[in-house]
Amino acid sequence: MSLLSRLRKKKSAIPDGLWIKCQNCGEIIYSKTLNEANKLCPKCGYHYIFSARERIALLCDENSFVEQDKNMTPGDPLKFVDSVAYPERQARHSKKSGESEAVVTGTAKMNNIPIAIGVMDFSYIGGTMGSVVGEKITRLIETAIDKKLPVLISSASGGVRMQEAIIGLMQMAKTSAALYKLKQAKLPFISLLTNPTTGGTTASFASLGDVIIAEPKSLICFAGPRVIKQTIRQDLPEGFQTAEFLLEHGIIDMVVPRPEMKETITKILCYFLHLPIEKQNEENSSKIES
Amino acid sequence: MLTYDFEKPIVELEKKITELQKYADEVQIDASEELQSLQNKREIVCKQIYDDLTPYQRVQVARHPNRPYTLDYINMICDDFVELHGDRRFSDDQALIGGLATIDGRQIMIVGHQKGRDTKDNIKRNFGMANPEGYRKAMRLFEMADKFNLPILALIDTPGAYPGIGAEERGQAEAIAVNLREMMGIGTPVVCVVIGEGGSGGALGIGIGNRVLIMENSYYTVISPEGCAAILFRDAARAADAANAMRITAKYLLEFGIVEDIIPEPIGGAHRDHELAAKLFKEKIVKHFEELSEMTPDELRESRYQKFRKVGVFNETQEPE
Ligand SMILES: [Zn+2]
C-alpha cells in the first residue's frame, strides 16, 4: 500500500524512446528488441513489467482467451479526493493503461488445458485492489468452481487501493473466502507473483496458491521495505523481499523465468489433473517451433 | 491521565471541581450544590465534545494509553480464563493472545490483540503488532474452538501486523491470508469486536466474523491515517484529512455494512470508566452470541461467507452474452 509512490518512480516499466538503458545492468537496449524478447533484458535477463494482455498472450493458447466481466468499472463509494478526485484518477489510469481496471479475467486454454485465468495490470493505479479487482477475482473463482477449472492468477499489485479504504480492505476477505470454496471443491490454484506484489494482495489470494511461483528478482512482500526500515531503524539485508529471498525462506515453491513459465505451469497442472505430461510438451514444442 | 487538546473545556471544569472541593474541605463549608452543578456541567460538556469528535480525534481516543485492552475486558467480564500459548511452530506471540473463557456460564474461545500499558509491557507486547506466530496461534485456537464446538470472540486492537524482517521471513502475508480463508470454515458463531485500533490486514487477520462490532471510539482502516497522508497527501501531518477521507469511524462502517453494531462507550470514552465500558461491551456481545446460537454450522458458514461476499461498490453495464 505505502509502497506505491516509491514504486511509481522506480518501477521497471519501459520508458518511452527507441533506446533505453537497462535498469539492472546498464546495457543500452533497443526497445523493439526488448519487446520481442518478452521484455527481458537481452544481456542480464532482467524482467521488465508485463501488461495483463502481454501476459495473457504469453500464457494462453492463441485466441483461446475469453474475457469475462470486462464491462465492470469502479465506483467511488467514499467520494475520495486526494491530490485528484478518485474518478479523475480512474479516468487517467484507464487512458494510460488501456484497461478499465487493474485485473483482466476470463477462461482460456493453456497447452490445451482449460483454465480460469486472472492477470493483474500494474499500470492501472499500481495494480491496487479495490472492489472491481476483488469482485472480478471472486467471480473468476466462482466460474472455476462452476466449470470445474483450475485457477491461475498472476499478481502485480501495490496492495489494497486506499481510495476505497475499508471496502478495499474487505476484498482481501472476499477473494480468500472464494478460495475457501475452491479448496472445498479440490480444484487447483496456481498463484504467480510478479514484480511487484505487495501489501493486502500478498496477504490474501496471492499467498494462497497450492503452488506459488515468482518471476526472478520480483519484489514480493507484505510490508514494504521503506515501512520496515522506518519501523526497525536498521538497514535491510541484501536481496531482502526478492523472489529468491522468499524461495530461500520457504515462502514460495519456485522462481521461474518468463520464457519457461507456460511450460512449468502446464506441467504442474498435468499432475493435479492427472494428464499425461509428454503429450503436452510435444504440443508445446511444436508450437514454439512454428 | 493523558488528555487531548480538544478536551480542554473538560479538563478546566475538572480542575475547578478539584479546587472547589479542596477549598470546601479547608474552610469546612458545604459546597455540594455548587459541586453538583459543576459535575453536571462537566458531563454535558464532555458529552457535547465526544458527540462531535472528528474522525482523527476518535483515532486519538482509540489510541489512548488508558483504554481498556483485551486482557482488561477478559478480567472484567469473564468468570474464568485459561490462557493457551504458542503456534506450535516457532514461538508464543505476546501481541496476540487467546484462551478458553466463561462469560455468564457460556463457554467460549477468546482471541485478541494485546497492547502494553507501559514501555516495558509494550516491548513484551510489541505495541499490539503481531508477528506471523500470532496469526498462526489464533488459527490454531479457532480450529480448536471449531472442533470442540465453542463460540469465538475475537478482539481487534492493533496498529497493524508487525512490519519487521523476521515477520517477512516467516511469512506474515501467508499467515494472514490463511486465516482469511480458513476462518470461513468455522462451524461455530464468530463475533469480532474492534475495541481500539483496527489496523488493516493485521486486524482483518482475526476479523472474519458472523458479526463484526465496533466500539464507539474505535476505528477500522486499510492504512493508518498518517500512512495514507504521507502517500496520498504527500504530508504525514495531514493525517486528519486522511482520516476524514477514508471514513474510518464507527458511524461510517455501520453505514457501509462492514460492522453490524456499535458498542456505546461511557461519556468521555472507555478510558474514563473501564467498569462501565466492560458492562456495555458485555451486554452487546451476549446479545449477539444469543442471536447466533440457534444457527447450524452450515448456516453460520454460509452467512459468514455472504457477509463478506457482498462487499464491494462498482458499476456494470450489461451486455448480451
Ligand atoms: Zn540488463
Side-chain angles (χ1 to χ4, degrees):
Chain A
M1 284 158 264
S2 44
L3 269 178
L4 212 59
S5 55
R6 200 181 65 90
L7 289 169
R8 270 200 206 104
K9 283 176 214 135
K10 221 191 141 182
K11 71 180 173 188
S12 43
I14 297 175
D16 296 334
L18 281 176
W19 297 93
I20 63 144
K21 192 174 169 193
C22 176
Q23 287 166 14
N24 188 50
C25 71
E27 179 81 356
I28 306 295
I29 322 163
Y30 186 41
S31 65
K32 193 157 169 272
T33 315
L34 197 62
N35 283 330
E36 281 167 0
N38 285 327
K39 293 200 173 152
L40 306 185
C41 169
K43 189 170 177 223
C44 72
Y46 186 77
H47 286 53
Y48 284 85
I49 285 179
F50 235 20
S51 73
R53 304 288 164 180
E54 285 169 326
R55 193 167 300 277
I56 287 165
L58 176 81
L59 296 175
C60 302
D61 298 347
E62 216 176 330
N63 297 323
S64 72
F65 179 70
V66 181
E67 190 170 351
Q68 66 181 43
D69 302 314
K70 64 178 169 194
N71 296 317
M72 197 188 292
T73 53
D76 183 12
L78 308 176
K79 308 277 172 266
F80 199 97
V81 182
D82 50 270
S83 57
V84 293
Y86 182 34
E88 167 69 19
R89 193 180 290 278
Q90 292 166 8
R92 280 188 201 173
H93 281 266
S94 178
K95 204 174 159 197
K96 187 184 126 198
S97 65
E99 298 294 347
S100 57
E101 251 289 355
V103 72
V104 177
T105 55
T107 52
K109 283 184 174 169
M110 182 184 243
N111 287 318
N112 286 321
I113 303 172
I115 58 166
I117 180 170
V119 181
M120 300 188 83
D121 198 312
F122 193 76
S123 62
Y124 187 95
I125 320 191
T128 46
M129 171 158 62
S131 298
V132 173
V133 170
E135 184 69 21
K136 281 172 88 167
I137 284 177
T138 302
R139 287 191 193 177
L140 178 76
I141 297 163
E142 288 167 346
T143 299
I145 295 169
D146 193 37
K147 296 184 173 167
K148 298 188 168 54
L149 299 175
V151 178
L152 168 63
I153 299 174
S154 171
S155 298
S157 174
V160 175
R161 191 174 301 161
M162 283 179 280
Q163 288 86 352
E164 295 192 25
I166 195 74
I167 296 169
L169 186 77
M170 292 300 145
Q171 306 308 311
M172 292 170 63
K174 185 162 90 181
T175 53
S176 302
L179 288 172
Y180 173 75
K181 296 216 162 177
L182 190 82
K183 187 185 166 196
Q184 299 297 103
K186 294 198 172 184
L187 290 163
F189 171 37
I190 311 285
S191 177
L192 169 55
L193 311 178
T194 75
N195 191 38
T197 301
T198 70
T201 302
T202 318
S204 60
F205 64 86
S207 286
L208 294 173
D210 293 298
V211 172
I212 306 177
I213 305 174
E215 284 197 327
K217 294 208 163 85
S218 303
L219 169 71
I220 299 157
C221 60
F222 172 63
R226 199 174 46 97
V227 171
I228 296 176
K229 235 175 140 168
Q230 272 173 7
T231 308
I232 64 172
R233 297 171 200 281
Q234 277 174 42
D235 283 332
L236 303 176
E238 177 78 18
F240 184 58
Q241 299 179 320
T242 59
E244 293 74 11
F245 177 92
L246 268 72
L247 181 68
E248 193 185 313
H249 285 88
I251 313 282
I252 60 174
D253 288 281
M254 54 182 97
V255 177
V256 176
R258 202 169 281 168
E260 294 164 32
M261 197 61 80
K262 185 173 179 179
E263 301 326 306
T264 306
I265 296 170
T266 301
K267 199 176 192 179
I268 293 164
L269 288 178
C270 283
Y271 278 99
F272 291 161
L273 303 169
H274 301 286
L275 297 169
I277 291 162
E278 277 104 340
K279 193 169 158 275
Q280 303 295 338
N281 282 348
E282 272 164 36
E283 276 173 22
N284 298 334
S285 46
S286 65
K287 194 166 243 160
I288 289 162
E289 280 156 28
S290 64
Chain B
M1 191 178 73
L2 169 71
T3 55
Y4 299 112
D5 281 348
F6 60 81
E7 294 178 312
K8 223 174 201 166
I10 308 169
V11 174
E12 272 163 17
L13 278 165
E14 281 170 351
K15 213 170 129 197
K16 263 189 201 162
I17 292 166
T18 320
E19 276 167 5
L20 179 58
Q21 183 77 63
K22 202 176 148 207
Y23 178 75
D25 288 350
E26 269 172 24
V27 299
Q28 299 205 339
I29 54 159
D30 178 17
S32 57
E33 216 166 285
E34 290 86 346
L35 278 168
Q36 191 55 51
S37 124
L38 278 174
Q39 285 288 8
N40 293 345
K41 201 172 166 198
R42 182 202 161 276
E43 192 110 322
I44 291 163
V45 168
C46 200
K47 188 175 181 319
Q48 271 171 353
I49 289 173
Y50 268 75
D51 280 349
D52 294 336
L53 289 186
T54 67
Y56 195 59
Q57 287 167 344
R58 263 185 230 284
V59 169
Q60 290 170 283
V61 177
R63 291 172 178 167
H64 195 284
N66 289 103
R67 198 168 168 81
Y69 299 144
T70 291
L71 281 171
D72 298 316
Y73 286 110
I74 289 173
N75 288 332
M76 289 185 286
I77 69 168
C78 297
D79 313 317
D80 184 48
F81 178 61
V82 183
E83 188 173 353
L84 301 171
H85 295 272
D87 69 340
R88 300 289 189 271
R89 289 168 170 83
F90 184 75
S91 73
D92 181 41
D93 196 330
Q94 297 287 306
L96 218 176
I97 60 144
L100 302 160
T102 308
I103 299 175
D104 280 356
R106 190 187 301 268
Q107 295 176 324
I108 65 166
M109 179 71 80
I110 296 188
V111 166
H113 298 105
Q114 181 63 42
K115 292 180 175 176
R117 195 63 74 193
D118 54 34
T119 309
K120 195 177 150 228
D121 199 19
N122 251 322
I123 289 165
K124 175 178 159 190
R125 303 293 183 184
N126 202 27
F127 298 86
M129 293 184 284
N131 274 284
E133 299 74 63
Y135 293 99
R136 290 180 182 133
K137 171 169 67 176
M139 198 61 231
R140 183 174 79 84
L141 300 185
F142 294 150
E143 280 166 356
M144 190 188 295
D146 184 45
K147 183 176 175 185
F148 298 111
N149 199 21
L150 297 164
I152 292 166
L153 176 63
L155 304 185
I156 295 166
D157 189 12
T158 181
Y162 186 59
I165 293 175
E168 295 285 317
E169 286 176 338
R170 299 192 298 276
Q172 185 74 287
E174 193 259 2
I176 292 170
V178 165
N179 285 16
L180 303 185
R181 183 184 64 195
E182 297 304 318
M183 283 187 85
M184 284 295 163
I186 298 167
T188 62
V190 182
V191 174
C192 305
V193 188
V194 186
I195 58 171
E197 297 188 86
S200 197
L204 190 62
I206 58 165
I208 310 298
N210 293 87
R211 302 281 162 84
V212 179
L213 319 179
I214 187 164
M215 299 203 43
E216 195 181 342
N217 296 309
S218 295
Y219 73 98
Y220 197 178
T221 186
V222 65
I223 184 170
S224 71
E226 294 80 7
C228 177
I231 297 165
L232 289 185
F233 298 87
R234 298 198 170 81
D235 179 4
R238 291 187 62 191
D241 294 332
N244 281 336
M246 292 194 293
R247 311 264 198 271
I248 62 180
T249 53
K251 178 183 88 165
Y252 293 114
L253 296 165
L254 186 67
E255 196 181 301
F256 297 147
I258 304 296
V259 303
E260 280 70 34
D261 204 352
I262 298 172
I263 302 177
E265 292 186 22
I267 293 168
H271 61 281
R272 283 196 159 82
D273 189 344
H274 284 203
E275 290 297 330
L276 182 56
K279 183 173 169 279
L280 296 167
F281 172 90
K282 186 176 164 183
E283 276 168 18
K284 285 283 191 184
I285 57 155
V286 166
K287 169 179 167 277
H288 286 280
F289 276 129
E290 204 65 52
E291 286 172 14
L292 294 168
S293 66
E294 296 301 311
M295 292 171 77
T296 67
D298 280 341
E299 285 168 354
L300 287 163
R301 276 186 284 261
E302 189 53 26
S303 71
R304 196 180 308 128
Y305 182 82
Q306 292 306 332
K307 168 177 161 58
F308 291 91
R309 176 66 189 85
K310 67 174 200 278
V311 184
V313 176
F314 50 85
N315 304 309
E316 215 173 1
T317 52
Q318 294 299 328
E319 60 158 14
E321 295 275 325

